[in-house]
Structures are given as structure tokens and as C-alpha cells.
Amino acid sequence: MPLAVILAWLAAGAVLRPVRRLRDGARSLARGELSTRLPERGADELADLARTFNETAASLERTVGELRRMDADARRFVADVSHELRTPLAAMTAVTEVLDEEGAHLPGDTGTASRLVSAETRKLARLVDDLIEISRFDNGRARMDRREADLGELIAATLRSRHWDDAETDLPHGIVAEVDARRFDVIVANLVGNALRHGAPPVRVRLSTDGGEVVIAVTDRGPGLPDDVLPHVFARFYKADTARSRSEGSGLGLSIAEKNAGLHDGTIEAGNQPGGGARFV
């Protein structure tokens, strides 16, 4: 009887060990460790299963590696093109400043054309700036210049510089933190600008603290964010209404805002208010 138990235990171990290795290998693949391979011993069904696992893992590693390479090439191409466009765009922007001055005095179609060229040039310049900023995040070259500042004053300056006088504010003085003022401005401008463009008044900006954390809430009373849009709000180039492919925004603003919040060890959460309207915190 003891001999039978020992033999049964050894037999069970011979079967269970490969199964455990297969389980552990599958878990490693699920964690993204694509170089995982299993030992191929013997010629039974378990050995065949190990060989199939290794072939699948090798194929997955090649496919993912190729996709990563293509993605890196695409990002590098966008960054290179964006930088190459900067010089001619600077010249075009200088010309549009002249057009803006003279456009009001130009007659008929000539005036309309000058205003159109000016507006489209500014949009293109903003898009190129956004693409260059995204490329900095992708390449890990985004730099921070943190300095202590009163956040209420910074938010007020952002709204004032863009003439967003319609936005209602609750900005108590004395909430101080070390931030990169330029990147902080980008965060606030994107969130408030998004609410003004796609929401409905009143657009409110509220600054507060919660357990040692600074909280900025931007809300509006528009239609809010549909459930199928919420998971994609911060995705690059995503626009809730595909019919608005030529809308004013580049589809990068919220993504850039989220990246800048991350550089400040913060987050941005998107949702809807109980009474209607979008809420970004």
C-alpha cells in the first residue's frame, strides 16, 4: 500500500509539473513578458502542448515587436514633419499678421480669402505645436520648470489672457503649490476651452483642496459626455462627433492636458454632473 501511494504521487507530480509550468508561462505572457518559453521534454501530449505554447509565444513576440517598431516609426515621422513645418509656418504666421491688419479694408472675395487664410494658418500652427508637444512626451523629453505659485492667480490669468470673461469662477487665494506655470496654463486652457466650445453656459471653474490635494473642477451645463465617449475622451485625435472632423480643435488638447497633469503627479477625471453637463476634475 505505501508503495502504491508513492507511485501515485510520483505519477501525479510528473503530470502536474508541466501543467504548472504551462500555467506560470501563460501568466507571464499575460503580464507582457513575451520572451517566456517552456521546456520541451518528451514526446507526449504535454510536450506537444509546450511546443505549441512556445510557437505561439514566439509568433506573438514577433508581431508585437513589429507593431511597436511601426508605431515608433510613425511617431518619429510625425515629430520630424512637425519640426520641419515650423520654419515655413513661422513665415506664414508673419504674413497672416499683415493680412489681419489689412483684411478689414480689403473688398469682397479678397477680404474673405485673406481672413480664411489667416484662420487656417493659425489652426495649422496650433496643430504643429500640439504634435511637437506630444512627441516630447513620447520621447521622454518633456521638461518641467516648477515654481511655487498661487494657483487661483494662475487660473485667473489663463482666463483673462484668452478673454474668457463668461466663465464663472470660485478661486480662493492662498492655495499655493509648486507647478510649471506654462504647463498648468495648458491644462486649464484645454479644459475650459473644451467646456466653452462643446458645453453650454454656465461654465464654472472651481479651485479647492481635499486632504492635502489640490482639486480643480471645470463644469458646464451642456449635453454632457455620452457613455460610449467617456472611455476615449483622452485618446489622441478622438472626436465624439465624427461629422466634425474639421472642427476647430486638433483632437489633441485633452490628451496633452492629461499628460501635463501626470507630470505634476496629478490626474484628470472626466464624467457628468447629476443635473446634466460635463465635469472634468
Side-chain angles (χ1 to χ4, degrees), residues 4 12 29 39 60 69 94 114 117 122 131 163 166 188-189 195 200 213 262:
L29 275 184
L60 182 62
R69 185 191 64 76
S114 70
V117 169
R122 282 193 293 270
L131 288 171
H163 307 290
D166 294 338
V188 175
E213 292 186 331

Side-chain angles (χ1 to χ4, degrees), residues 120 123 127 198 237-251:
E120 291 300 316
K123 287 181 185 179
L127 174 59
H198 305 302
F237 300 109
Y238 182 81
K239 295 184 180 180
D241 184 357
T242 55
R244 292 189 293 104
S245 60
R246 288 284 297 142
S247 65
E248 181 179 346
S250 65

Side-chain angles (χ1 to χ4, degrees), residues 183-247:
R183 295 186 181 281
F184 186 81
D185 173 79
V186 168
I187 297 170
V188 175
N190 273 301
L191 296 183
V192 177
N194 188 69
L196 290 170
R197 281 194 302 272
H198 305 302
V203 171
R204 293 192 174 96
V205 186
R206 183 173 183 269
L207 172 67
S208 61
T209 57
D210 180 14
E213 292 186 331
V214 175
V215 181
I216 301 165
V218 179
T219 61
D220 66 72
R221 283 299 179 181
L225 299 166
D227 291 340
D228 60 329
V229 170
L230 276 171
H232 311 289
V233 162
F234 298 106
R236 299 176 185 183
F237 300 109
Y238 182 81
K239 295 184 180 180
D241 184 357
T242 55
R244 292 189 293 104
S245 60
R246 288 284 297 142
S247 65

Side-chain angles (χ1 to χ4, degrees), residues 158 180-193 216 218 253-254 256-264 267-268:
T158 295
D180 183 312
R182 183 186 71 83
R183 295 186 181 281
F184 186 81
D185 173 79
V186 168
I187 297 170
V188 175
N190 273 301
L191 296 183
V192 177
I216 301 165
V218 179
L254 290 178
I256 290 173
E258 184 187 39
K259 292 287 189 183
N260 278 312
L263 287 178
H264 287 88
T267 61
I268 302 180

Side-chain angles (χ1 to χ4, degrees), residues 98-211:
V98 176
L99 288 176
D100 288 339
E101 293 176 0
E102 300 296 331
H105 308 294
L106 295 174
D109 291 343
T110 304
T112 301
S114 70
R115 289 189 292 274
L116 178 62
V117 169
S118 180
E120 291 300 316
T121 300
R122 282 193 293 270
K123 287 181 185 179
L124 183 57
R126 285 196 298 270
L127 174 59
V128 169
D129 286 342
D130 286 348
L131 288 171
I132 290 174
E133 185 74 346
I134 283 289
S135 72
R136 291 194 187 106
F137 287 121
D138 289 341
N139 297 324
R141 296 203 305 265
R143 296 290 178 261
M144 292 282 282
D145 181 18
R146 285 179 183 254
R147 299 185 184 182
E148 193 172 89
D150 186 303
L151 300 187
E153 293 179 2
L154 288 183
I155 294 172
T158 295
L159 303 180
R160 189 167 52 249
S161 67
R162 291 164 177 80
H163 307 290
W164 288 338
D165 302 323
D166 294 338
E168 299 180 4
T169 60
D170 179 9
L171 306 174
H173 291 291
I175 298 180
V176 176
E178 285 192 354
V179 297
D180 183 312
R182 183 186 71 83
R183 295 186 181 281
F184 186 81
D185 173 79
V186 168
I187 297 170
V188 175
N190 273 301
L191 296 183
V192 177
N194 188 69
L196 290 170
R197 281 194 302 272
H198 305 302
V203 171
R204 293 192 174 96
V205 186
R206 183 173 183 269
L207 172 67
S208 61
T209 57
D210 180 14

